[in-house]
Amino acid sequence: MTINSILLVSLLLVAIWTVMTIRLIRSIVGLALTSALLSVIMYRLDAPLAAVFELSVCAGLISVIFITTVSFTQRVSRERLLARRKERLKKLFYLPFIIIVAAFFLAHYLKLPPLDLGAVTKNPEARVLLWNLRHLDLLGQVIVLLAGVFGVVVLFKEDRS
Amino acid sequence: MISSFILVPFFLLVMLNLPFAFLRGRIAFWLTGAVLLRQVALTIIHPWFFWSTFLESVGKFFAFNLSLDALSLLMLFTIGVVALVSLIVAQSTITTQKRRFNFVNLLLIAVIGMNTAVLTTDIFSLYVFIELTAVAVFVLMALEQNQFAVEGTFKYLALSMLASVFILASIAFFMLVTGDISFAGIHDAFSVEANDMVLRLATALFLCGVLIKCGLIPFHGWVPDAYSEAPAAVSVLVAGIVTKIAGVYALLRLFSSVFVLNDSFRNVIMSIGIVSIVVAAFAALRQGNIKRMLSYSSISQIGYIALAIGCGTPLAFLGAVVHFFNHAIFKSLLFVNAASLEKKFGSTDTRIITGLGGQLPVTSFTSLVGMLSTAGLPPLSGFWSKFIIIFALFSSGRYAYGSIALLASAMTLAYFLFLERSVFFIKSEMISEEGSGIPFGIKFSEILLAAIVVAVGAGFPFILNVALLHVKELLR
């Protein structure tokens, strides 16, 4: 229980840092760390497959894409950076408090049923789950990918004519 | 077979993108039109179509867990009609062949998303397909790639993502408590322990998400920009049906037959509804752009639906469903009218377009039909739905809500008559710059939608008996 709590608290801290920091690169690192911590939690909750996906896609692939994008941008001057940090702090100073209060509320006032890990692990393996039980959602995901491809083609491919 | 509503557009989408050049021409338009017409026809002559036996065998392979009832049938019909009109408008307003082809593809994706969302029986699939529709619509809205369109799209995207976070969190809580995310499973969980704190929290989160998607008043920031800056055909689609399915359908389905609401939830939904009706009507009065005025009018009309859902009696639910249908049709009509003005004069600003006199007879007559129907004048379709909603409010003893809704209806009439007077009734020497006529496609869509408004209004008792009364049975 204590390890889970430590993981959860550090997850929250890293997530808050991700939002509050103003350097995009640090933000990306924060996001990757958040994903990594989340995948550890998922693994501890007996969902190894979800953990692997989270680690490979969210912590790995997406970070690479983000860093590639950021490498195309330019540095801002130190003064603007400081000004923006101040602005960010002014705008979002209440965020950690809200999250702490919400977490406290969720933990104490909400009588969440105890996690029944048996029910999760009893479920059929992922292959059966995806192909036999959730294949409508799978079709949806395929079409979402198609829509994404159309989006890239329509919005980013310059019209040569 | 129900899943043909999803599979037929899907196969068309795949087919259109095979590497054959001839598929990218006009044939894409005609095939898509045929698929949409098939959907409309199927919903009318439900249950069966002559080649359903062929599709039956395909259906065994794709055994989706779907269900078709009176509500989803009506939704499918509405989706078919509005998407068809949007397709016709796109054919006449989008200039390049390539862009038209992209429009057809994205329209098909949006139709698949909406069709599945109204047929599915579990809350996670509902979420997935609402998101699918949204992704297609984001791209459609930014199709013109001008600054304002991108800004409107970005606002919609940001708020829509926020809504998704709420909805996903809510689904996670439902999963945690019930271990089941089908509509029936969640409903059972409510009947076992209706006052469970986690269920309440999950319902509240879902409500927040859906209200953002509906664009009701505290969450309405994205609506005017998104509706008014999108290309003409896209604003018909988005204002006519997409936000209705993504937000209002979820509200209709879940908050009447899945979640069990207590009085405080009902009061919250009704207050948001009434505030939206009144505030959006005032905001509409002040708009100088036809599309922005229509957007605020849309918020106001969705307020009526929310009010009826909050009221929760079978009669009010019927009113909400009928108003959903009517609103989708006459709002599409009004956006097609706006498209025809945009096509002719290159603007929808009422300070620029004024005093058309008798120049655009079809547009001016059909817009009058649409506006009077929105305002709820008998014998047009809008009268019946507003009448049912207000009658239901009075008969359940909510006199204050009923009276305010009634008065706000008069305000709707006021802002539309101002618009109608300044744009169409005054005669002046305003002459179109390019002298381009209104394409036949747009005229056809205007007449088609106006005919539906008039026909539903005139034949309402008949339609009520044949199709709509079954809807009431869905209320649990």
Side-chain angles (χ1 to χ4, degrees):
Chain A
M1 193 61 217
T2 44
I3 297 178
N4 278 353
S5 315
I6 293 168
L7 281 171
L8 265 180
V9 170
S10 36
L11 179 79
L12 260 185
L13 290 178
V14 176
I16 290 173
W17 181 65
T18 308
V19 180
M20 300 295 278
T21 186
I22 47 166
R23 281 202 188 277
L24 278 177
I25 287 286
R26 284 186 198 164
S27 213
I28 295 166
V29 173
L31 199 63
L33 267 179
T34 316
S35 289
L37 281 170
L38 191 61
S39 65
V40 175
I41 294 174
M42 281 171 173
Y43 187 77
R44 288 187 57 82
L45 294 180
D46 270 351
L49 207 79
V52 169
F53 272 119
E54 178 73 27
L55 199 63
S56 60
V57 176
C58 297
L61 185 68
I62 289 182
S63 305
V64 172
I65 295 175
F66 278 154
I67 290 174
T68 321
T69 314
V70 169
S71 68
F72 290 121
T73 59
Q74 287 174 336
R75 260 175 179 279
V76 289
S77 67
R78 193 159 175 77
E79 292 78 51
R80 277 191 66 188
L81 204 67
L82 287 174
R84 212 177 287 170
R85 174 175 294 159
K86 222 178 207 173
E87 198 184 311
R88 174 73 57 93
L89 280 176
K90 220 193 257 172
K91 226 188 259 174
L92 292 178
F93 73 95
Y94 55 84
L95 189 71
F97 298 106
I98 290 183
I99 291 175
I100 289 165
V101 170
F104 184 77
F105 172 79
L106 284 179
H108 285 264
Y109 286 94
L110 219 54
K111 295 283 178 286
L112 289 180
L115 264 183
D116 181 12
L117 292 181
V120 182
T121 41
K122 243 185 293 161
N123 270 343
E125 55 178 310
R127 189 165 46 89
V128 180
L129 193 76
L130 279 180
W131 291 112
N132 295 7
L133 297 176
R134 313 291 324 169
H135 59 309
L136 183 61
D137 299 335
L138 212 61
L139 179 74
Q141 287 299 326
V142 171
I143 308 174
V144 166
L145 278 181
L146 262 177
V149 171
F150 278 117
V152 172
V153 169
V154 171
L155 299 179
F156 299 114
K157 208 174 138 203
E158 284 295 308
D159 219 341
R160 294 272 143 81
S161 54
Chain B
M1 180 190 87
I2 310 167
S3 48
S4 75
F5 284 114
I6 304 156
L7 294 174
V8 170
F10 178 63
F11 287 138
L12 177 63
L13 179 72
V14 173
M15 200 187 89
L16 286 180
N17 287 286
L18 295 177
F20 299 116
F22 74 94
L23 287 171
R24 284 165 183 60
R26 285 191 79 82
I27 193 163
F29 167 77
W30 289 111
L31 285 176
T32 311
V35 165
L36 294 173
L37 265 181
R38 173 190 165 275
Q39 175 166 339
V40 173
L42 263 184
T43 51
I44 295 172
I45 59 164
H46 174 75
W48 304 121
F49 206 48
F50 68 99
W51 49 309
S52 59
T53 41
F54 160 70
L55 286 171
E56 207 68 54
S57 50
V58 183
K60 291 220 174 69
F61 188 67
F62 294 97
F64 298 139
N65 200 3
L66 304 170
S67 89
L68 184 67
D69 53 25
L71 181 60
S72 31
L73 205 62
L74 186 72
M75 297 292 145
L76 286 172
F77 176 75
T78 322
I79 294 167
V81 170
V82 178
L84 188 65
V85 166
S86 165
L87 179 73
I88 297 173
V89 172
Q91 195 67 12
S92 350
T93 53
I94 298 179
T95 43
T96 63
Q97 185 80 57
K98 200 171 156 195
R99 229 174 235 183
R100 244 178 298 182
F101 180 67
N102 287 332
F103 177 89
V104 167
N105 279 315
L106 289 161
L107 178 75
L108 275 173
I109 292 178
V111 167
I112 297 170
M114 290 188 285
N115 282 356
T116 321
V118 300
L119 288 170
T120 181
T121 54
D122 86 61
I123 196 169
F124 186 73
S125 297
L126 181 70
Y127 160 78
V128 169
F129 285 92
I130 285 177
E131 283 305 296
L132 169 61
T133 317
V135 170
V137 166
F138 296 145
V139 184
L140 276 176
M141 281 168 59
L143 205 62
E144 302 267 295
Q145 300 190 23
N146 65 35
Q147 187 199 338
F148 297 111
V150 172
E151 190 190 326
T153 312
F154 185 75
K155 273 191 191 172
Y156 184 25
L157 182 77
L159 277 167
S160 192
M161 287 301 123
L162 188 66
S164 301
V165 170
F166 280 126
I167 292 176
L168 263 185
S170 155
I171 294 175
F173 279 121
F174 279 124
M175 186 77 192
L176 188 63
V177 181
T178 62
D180 187 1
I181 42 174
S182 68
F183 290 163
I186 292 174
H187 187 76
D188 290 346
F190 268 101
S191 44
V192 174
E193 38 189 342
N195 286 326
D196 185 48
M197 194 67 176
V198 187
L199 280 181
R200 291 263 192 88
L201 179 75
T203 314
L205 283 171
F206 207 97
L207 184 65
C208 287
V210 166
L211 287 178
I212 296 175
K213 296 247 179 198
C214 287
L216 284 166
I217 272 289
F219 313 103
H220 68 292
W222 58 273
V223 177
D225 290 316
Y227 286 12
S228 59
E229 303 302 345
V234 182
S235 51
V236 173
L237 186 73
V238 177
I241 194 72
V242 169
T243 53
K244 312 268 174 322
I245 295 292
V248 186
Y249 169 75
L251 203 63
L252 267 175
R253 172 69 76 185
L254 298 175
F255 287 80
S256 54
S257 60
V258 178
F259 303 161
V260 177
L261 302 179
N262 58 13
D263 277 346
S264 47
F265 270 115
R266 289 194 186 289
N267 283 332
V268 168
I269 299 177
M270 286 175 72
S271 328
I272 288 174
I274 205 83
V275 167
S276 302
I277 293 174
V278 175
V279 176
F282 273 109
L285 268 176
R286 298 162 48 91
Q287 300 304 316
N289 181 314
I290 298 173
K291 276 179 152 187
R292 287 189 86 85
M293 180 189 262
L294 293 179
S295 320
Y296 279 106
S297 152
S298 206
I299 300 173
S300 177
Q301 299 309 312
I302 290 177
Y304 280 94
I305 303 177
L307 190 62
I309 294 170
C311 181
T313 60
L315 193 63
F317 180 63
L318 177 70
V321 174
V322 180
H323 201 59
F324 177 102
F325 170 72
N326 286 339
H327 180 232
I329 299 295
F330 55 62
K331 193 60 42 148
S332 307
L333 169 62
L334 292 171
F335 271 96
V336 177
N337 292 143
S340 86
L341 290 175
E342 205 175 350
K343 177 87 182 159
K344 179 114 177 150
F345 301 104
S347 164
T348 49
D349 197 323
T350 48
R351 283 159 298 186
I352 299 173
I353 310 175
T354 173
L356 293 182
Q359 279 188 50
L360 297 173
V362 176
T363 306
S364 114
F365 176 72
T366 50
S367 72
L368 193 63
V369 169
M371 288 178 186
L372 293 182
S373 180
T374 316
L377 251 67
L380 299 167
S381 63
F383 162 74
W384 293 103
S385 46
K386 280 197 181 175
F387 174 73
I388 295 175
I389 291 173
I390 291 169
F391 186 75
L393 286 169
F394 280 135
S395 61
S396 65
R398 295 178 167 97
Y399 295 106
Y401 285 117
S403 322
I404 298 173
L406 198 60
L407 289 176
S409 195
M411 271 188 61
T412 314
L413 188 62
Y415 64 74
F416 274 145
L417 282 183
F418 280 132
L419 181 75
E420 199 62 20
R421 180 171 152 273
S422 79
V423 175
F424 293 110
F425 290 172
I426 306 174
K427 277 212 159 83
S428 78
E429 57 279 14
M430 165 103 187
I431 292 161
S432 71
E433 294 147 14
E434 296 132 31
S436 59
I438 308 281
F440 172 74
I442 293 189
K443 277 187 195 160
F444 172 75
S445 338
E446 286 176 337
I447 293 169
L448 174 73
L449 291 171
I452 295 179
V453 170
V454 174
V456 169
F460 189 76
F462 172 72
I463 296 170
L464 186 71
N465 275 331
V466 172
L468 297 174
L469 275 180
H470 302 295
V471 169
K472 274 207 305 195
E473 293 154 15
L474 295 174
L475 195 71
R476 289 202 265 190

